[in-house]
Amino acid sequence: MTPFSKILGLIPARMGSKGVPGKNMKLLDGMPLIQYTFEAAERSELLDTILVSTDCPETAFFANCFAKITAPFLRPGHLATHHSPMIDVVVHALKYAEEHWGHFEYVVLLQPTCPFRAPDIIDDTIRCIIRQNADSLVTLRKIPDAFNPYWAYAFGENGLERAVKHPTFTRRQDLPTAYHRDGEIYIARTSLIREGLITGGKVAPWLNDHAFGINIDTPADWAQAENLVQQWKEQTKNTFSY
């Protein structure tokens, strides 16, 4: 680590949710969903400050019960709607953080909808972005071959067309490997955030290959998390408190 690399961990926790109402504080195997992210963040040795941005008094109170986590304000209503851009939430939180704790070099965005992070992934990704001198980092997963964009279709003027027209691959073995963002971790320089971007510039990839990747947005996602949580706890029982 370099002396100037002061890191802000940011956990956004909006109260409203259309897919799974109240999901941040909804119990997943006996503990609030957001606690999984709190415990992962507290395990990090490289986050200098861990800030929660929420419009929910219950979530703020709960966050402030953790030794290394602070929720010092309630997010204003115009930043807590279903349509509020995440970048606006990050800019607002960063402004508060720098007014109170000084300059930060990076922001690590940790969404509570991804409860099953690998134990050391936060610090590993921070080291990665600094080592590569990148402007941003995203965690990725391989897209299964059946959903590869080179095999995707879209409706066009002449009927069904390849979504990606060139080149065309007919064999699975020839498909280029494609990836999707899994939502577990985003890291961005604060200078990039001030330009209105969370990803951009030189982007460092972090390939996520642990088996418990999930980003909860729908009731089906929640059911999947319930099916995975006991396996997750068994594999991480010596790492986290649960």
Side-chain angles (χ1 to χ4, degrees), residues 147-156 159-168:
F147 304 108
N148 191 291
Y150 285 97
W151 275 2
Y153 286 87
F155 292 106
L160 195 62
E161 301 175 352
R162 290 272 191 178
V164 180
K165 296 180 175 59
H166 301 288
T168 298

Side-chain angles (χ1 to χ4, degrees), residues 211-222:
F212 296 94
I214 189 169
N215 192 341
I216 299 173
D217 187 50
T218 67
D221 296 333
W222 186 273

Side-chain angles (χ1 to χ4, degrees), residues 2-237:
T2 54
F4 61 84
S5 299
K6 191 175 176 184
I7 314 294
L8 173 66
L10 176 59
I11 302 172
R14 187 173 65 89
M15 180 165 47
S17 172
K18 289 187 176 182
V20 183
K23 64 185 172 185
N24 289 321
M25 293 299 293
K26 183 178 173 68
L27 297 184
L28 177 62
D29 197 42
M31 64 188 243
L33 175 66
I34 200 168
Q35 184 172 342
Y36 292 84
T37 296
F38 286 173
E39 296 206 8
E42 285 204 315
R43 178 178 165 79
S44 168
E45 297 178 355
L46 301 182
L47 294 176
D48 295 281
T49 302
I50 306 169
L51 177 64
V52 175
S53 171
T54 184
D55 61 323
C56 175
E58 180 188 12
T59 301
F61 178 84
F62 184 63
N64 286 322
C65 293
F66 288 77
K68 297 182 181 180
I69 295 172
T70 182
F73 59 81
L74 288 180
R75 191 193 305 177
H78 71 279
L79 295 177
T81 73
H82 183 65
H83 301 289
S84 300
M86 181 57 71
I87 183 58
D88 292 350
V89 174
V90 176
V91 168
H92 175 266
L94 176 61
K95 181 179 179 182
Y96 180 96
E98 294 198 321
E99 286 176 350
H100 289 79
W101 302 301
H103 175 72
F104 290 87
E105 186 71 15
Y106 292 99
V107 173
V108 179
L109 186 64
L110 302 169
Q111 299 184 110
T113 50
C114 297
F116 303 141
R117 292 177 181 85
D120 297 317
I121 190 173
I122 296 174
D123 285 354
D124 287 344
T125 52
I126 292 171
R127 292 188 183 99
C128 175
I129 193 172
I130 292 175
R131 183 173 62 250
Q132 296 191 25
N133 193 28
D135 300 299
S136 57
L137 177 146
V138 294
T139 50
L140 304 168
R141 290 180 183 272
K142 183 181 181 294
I143 296 175
D145 291 338
F147 304 108
N148 191 291
Y150 285 97
W151 275 2
Y153 286 87
F155 292 106
E157 294 180 0
N158 300 316
L160 195 62
E161 301 175 352
R162 290 272 191 178
V164 180
K165 296 180 175 59
H166 301 288
T168 298
F169 298 91
T170 58
R171 301 194 318 152
R172 176 187 60 81
Q173 296 88 339
D174 297 329
L175 284 170
T177 303
Y179 303 91
H180 70 93
R181 296 177 296 180
D182 66 7
E184 282 196 11
I185 296 179
Y186 295 88
I187 307 179
R189 288 189 192 273
T190 55
S191 57
L192 188 70
I193 289 168
R194 293 186 189 96
E195 294 175 8
L197 297 170
I198 295 176
T199 60
K202 178 181 178 182
V203 183
W206 181 271
L207 183 57
N208 223 342
D209 57 3
H210 74 89
F212 296 94
I214 189 169
N215 192 341
I216 299 173
D217 187 50
T218 67
D221 296 333
W222 186 273
Q224 183 183 359
E226 289 183 320
N227 290 333
L228 290 172
V229 65
Q230 286 301 325
Q231 298 176 57
W232 167 254
K233 287 186 174 182
E234 179 63 26
Q235 288 200 15
T236 59
K237 63 184 178 182

